[in-house]
Amino acid sequence: MSGRLTVGVGQYSDRGRKPLNQDYYGVYIAKEPQLSAKGIAVAVADGISSSGVSHVASQAAVTGFLLDYYCTSEAWSVKKSVQKVLFATNSWLYAQTRYSRYCYDKDRGYVCTFSALVVKSATAYLFHVAIAGFTACAAANGSN
């Protein structure tokens, strides 16, 4: 028995009763030395069904997170790395909504829920964002 972490991954998502599946998910299992420095990252995003573009937000959030997390400084903690990446992702989603026809409609736009799990060494870190891409837009327009 080795002392290395071994991970198996299975993925599945269903659109349910809706015509479009607005979920997106992904996993990145890095090779050494990134595996020791950054760990394994898993991300899941769920678009809101009232928005016709939430699937874009879900895909962008997951893809952006999995690519950008591994580009952060190895000197940063997992928490700091994830916070920086999620802030950038949320800013991008906000800009997409802000400059679209959906900016003033809280039930539309480039929004999704987002969850990520990072497993590094013997520690699991869980992160969740309730509605990515909307908060800044709502605040900019005086909504709550």
Side-chain angles (χ1 to χ4, degrees):
M1 174 184 267
S2 77
R4 300 189 71 77
L5 175 65
T6 304
V7 177
V9 178
Q11 305 173 75
Y12 177 77
S13 180
D14 185 20
R15 65 178 173 81
R17 297 181 301 216
K18 302 289 182 180
L20 179 64
N21 187 349
Q22 297 202 1
D23 303 338
Y24 202 84
Y25 48 84
V27 61
Y28 187 79
I29 302 172
K31 304 262 188 239
E32 291 295 350
Q34 272 190 322
L35 180 59
S36 294
K38 291 297 198 179
I40 297 167
V42 179
V44 177
D46 182 12
I48 61 170
S49 61
S50 62
S51 172
V53 293
S54 274
H55 64 288
V56 175
S58 295
Q59 182 176 359
V62 170
T63 303
F65 175 78
L66 292 175
L67 292 173
D68 294 349
Y69 171 72
Y70 289 94
C71 294
T72 60
S73 171
E74 291 182 10
W76 290 356
S77 67
V78 171
K79 179 180 176 182
K80 181 174 182 174
S81 295
V82 171
Q83 286 176 329
K84 295 287 187 181
V85 170
L86 290 182
F87 180 81
T89 301
N90 190 61
S91 295
W92 186 85
L93 291 172
Y94 160 70
Q96 299 309 300
T97 298
R98 174 75 190 240
Y99 298 107
S100 74
R101 64 180 186 232
Y102 308 113
C103 187
Y104 299 106
D105 187 345
K106 66 179 179 141
D107 295 322
R108 304 279 191 273
Y110 296 83
V111 296
C112 63
T113 61
F114 177 86
S115 297
L117 172 70
V118 176
V119 180
K120 181 180 173 191
S121 186
T123 306
Y125 301 85
L126 184 60
F127 301 89
H128 179 72
V129 178
I131 303 179
F134 178 71
T135 306
C137 186
N141 293 310
S143 302
N144 288 327

